[in-house]
Amino acid sequence: LIQTCVAVIKTAGSEINSDLVTSLITLAEDDTKCRFFLEHGLHTVLFSNLDAGLYSLEKEEDELKSAKELMCEFLAMVTSSALLEEISLPLLLSWLKKDDILCSTAFLILGNLCTSDENTEAIATPEFVDGAIEKLSNRNKAVRHALLGCIRNCAVNPKSRDLLVSKDLGSHLLVISADIDDPGLMQKLVSILRLLALCSDTVARKVGEEETFIEKLVHMGKIENQFSAALGQLNVETGRLFSTVIVKTQNPAIMRTILDKSCLPHLLSLLSSPHLVMLNQAVLPLCLLFTLDPLPSNLYTQVTPEVVTKILGILEIKKPADGYRMVHENVLKLLTVMIGCKNDQTLKIIRDCDVKGKIEQYKSNLDPENHEMENNLSQQIITKLTL
């Protein structure tokens, strides 16, 4: 069947049936069948035909997409499991300077190819990054989605991330954020900024000082009657970005700005995550926020008994073996800082939640020799709450 379909596309030229392409796209969603298309060289035919402008942009009244749009979508599906050596990078890069349909397709395919450090570094050259930054001003939604998705995948690689930072990508992203109102687009943008801030104090500081951007993220997360998976993901990524900014800068003014702009709920929402990384991203900024003097009222009023209970619950997590201990240490440090802040309301919550009893129970299950740090921190908490 696939051989027949490949033959039809190779011989049909521009006279391609839209219903056939739609069916082939569905077929290509199966990874095994998708690989068959690659093995029969269909992608090279699609690349050649699209590059030559063979497919029409015209749509019939009952059609949502043109033949060109359908073939680009099919090409992206077919190449989703391709190896870098099976794709012509020069051809893809040339599409970045062509129409929006080819441009978005190129970014989508390039992003999908970022499956290893080697691939990512081959794609994210200085020339590519310059071209990608130039395309940020393009307001076509499909181009922006593919572009930001591609940059996000590149930013996962440390070497490519350093290159993106050196090109001042963070500033460019903050500029275009002003005209982005789509949660899916903003989520990708925020994700990139978080990755850049992880390795750059400068990016973290710029984000923390950009009050208009912070306000926009909070506003987008509060939009009522529009909840979607994209909006939920945006709120999570926003919390992770605020966490990174606080931990990276450790700047009291930035911390107060983040609190003043009603960002704390985003941080606290990370405490509901089943993932240790996100739990740690909630705990670490709280350690720093509770060192502020005077303590902001919205901090000690929003860290409620329910929040403290969630924090204590992290101590019950014992897997994975190579990750939970660091998070436990940070939880114990947070409790120590909260006790030391001398805030009456915070101390009342700590006592009402029986933190002393919970830590005594936690300490009793520790092996003092193998868990020296946790044991010492636990004893400090118990001692402070005994006085």
Side-chain angles (χ1 to χ4, degrees):
L1 173 61
I2 291 177
Q3 285 180 313
T4 303
C5 292
V6 171
V8 168
I9 290 177
K10 285 181 177 180
T11 57
S14 61
E15 301 300 322
I16 192 71
N17 182 277
S18 296
D19 291 336
L20 170 63
V21 181
T22 302
S23 299
L24 291 176
I25 290 172
T26 303
L27 198 62
E29 291 174 356
D30 184 315
D31 291 340
T32 305
K33 295 182 177 64
C34 183
R35 190 66 209 172
F36 284 142
F37 284 123
L38 277 171
E39 291 172 354
H40 284 85
L42 178 60
H43 60 299
T44 59
V45 176
L46 294 175
F47 273 125
S48 178
N49 288 352
L50 285 164
D51 194 55
L54 201 61
Y55 301 113
S56 173
L57 273 171
E58 295 181 3
K59 290 182 275 190
E60 299 292 337
E61 290 185 4
D62 59 340
E63 291 178 337
L64 297 175
K65 296 179 181 179
S66 66
K68 183 172 184 176
E69 290 171 309
L70 284 172
M71 295 309 271
C72 280
E73 183 179 344
F74 186 35
L75 177 60
M77 291 293 297
V78 169
T79 56
S80 62
S81 61
L83 303 176
L84 185 61
E85 53 267 28
E86 294 174 314
I87 302 296
S88 170
L89 280 183
L91 178 61
L92 274 181
L93 294 174
S94 73
W95 283 11
L96 301 184
K97 299 179 180 180
K98 296 194 175 184
D99 62 75
D100 288 344
I101 298 174
L102 290 182
C103 180
S104 60
T105 302
F107 277 124
L108 187 59
I109 295 172
L110 289 167
N112 289 339
L113 288 169
C114 293
T115 54
S116 68
D117 287 341
E118 183 180 7
N119 282 9
T120 303
E121 290 165 19
I123 292 168
T125 62
E127 295 75 21
F128 167 77
V129 174
D130 288 339
I133 289 175
E134 185 178 338
K135 279 294 178 182
L136 287 173
S137 59
N138 187 320
R139 296 195 179 195
N140 179 276
K141 190 172 181 179
V143 171
R144 277 193 167 173
H145 263 295
L147 167 57
L148 292 176
C150 181
I151 294 176
R152 179 187 58 192
N153 291 354
C154 289
V156 173
N157 173 268
K159 185 176 179 180
S160 300
R161 192 186 308 160
D162 289 340
L163 175 60
L164 294 170
V165 169
S166 73
K167 296 289 186 178
D168 199 22
L169 175 63
S171 295
H172 292 285
L173 292 176
L174 289 171
V175 169
I176 70 162
S177 69
D179 61 61
I180 292 179
D181 295 306
D182 176 79
L185 278 175
M186 188 64 86
Q187 186 262 334
K188 291 178 180 178
L189 184 147
V190 170
S191 178
I192 298 167
L193 283 174
R194 177 180 63 81
L195 290 167
L196 299 182
L198 280 173
C199 69
S200 170
D201 294 344
T202 301
V203 174
R205 188 178 68 254
K206 282 183 178 179
V207 173
E209 293 174 347
E210 193 64 45
E211 295 187 19
T212 303
F213 173 66
I214 294 172
E215 289 171 351
K216 180 164 188 172
L217 289 182
V218 173
H219 173 71
M220 286 185 72
K222 287 181 177 178
I223 294 176
E224 297 179 358
N225 302 321
Q226 291 190 27
F227 183 80
S228 63
L231 188 58
Q233 290 167 0
L234 171 59
N235 282 332
V236 170
E237 202 59 49
T238 296
R240 299 181 75 189
L241 174 62
F242 292 154
S243 170
T244 301
V245 168
I246 290 171
V247 173
K248 194 69 179 177
T249 64
Q250 299 191 22
N251 182 301
I254 288 176
M255 287 191 269
R256 290 188 183 278
T257 295
I258 288 175
L259 288 175
D260 290 344
K261 300 301 178 184
S262 303
C263 303
L264 186 56
H266 288 83
L267 289 171
L268 297 180
S269 69
L270 299 177
L271 290 170
S272 299
S273 172
H275 304 293
L276 273 176
V277 169
M278 290 194 197
L279 292 172
N280 205 40
Q281 287 172 332
V283 171
L284 282 175
L286 287 174
C287 289
L288 293 166
L289 291 172
F290 270 97
T291 64
L292 292 172
D293 186 19
L295 203 64
S297 61
N298 54 353
L299 177 61
Y300 62 76
T301 55
Q302 291 183 54
V303 178
T304 61
E306 291 77 17
V307 170
V308 173
T309 299
K310 285 183 179 180
I311 293 169
L312 288 168
I314 298 173
L315 297 176
E316 298 175 8
I317 300 173
K318 300 295 177 68
K319 292 180 180 180
D322 61 345
Y324 80 87
R325 288 186 59 182
M326 178 187 70
V327 185
H328 281 200
E329 288 180 17
N330 290 333
V331 167
L332 295 170
K333 289 174 183 176
L334 170 58
L335 293 172
T336 303
V337 173
M338 290 175 69
I339 295 167
C341 76
K342 307 294 185 184
N343 176 266
D344 290 341
Q345 187 166 333
T346 301
L347 289 172
K348 182 179 185 305
I349 290 173
I350 284 175
R351 295 189 188 282
D352 289 347
C353 291
D354 191 24
V355 169
K356 179 173 177 286
K358 298 284 177 49
I359 297 302
E360 285 174 338
Q361 183 179 1
Y362 171 76
K363 183 175 180 292
S364 68
N365 293 320
L366 293 174
D367 179 345
E369 291 186 4
N370 294 325
H371 297 81
E372 183 178 358
M373 177 64 77
E374 297 98 310
N375 190 69
N376 290 341
L377 289 169
S378 295
Q379 187 56 56
Q380 288 178 32
I381 293 170
I382 294 167
T383 300
K384 287 177 180 290
L385 291 175
T386 302
L387 295 177

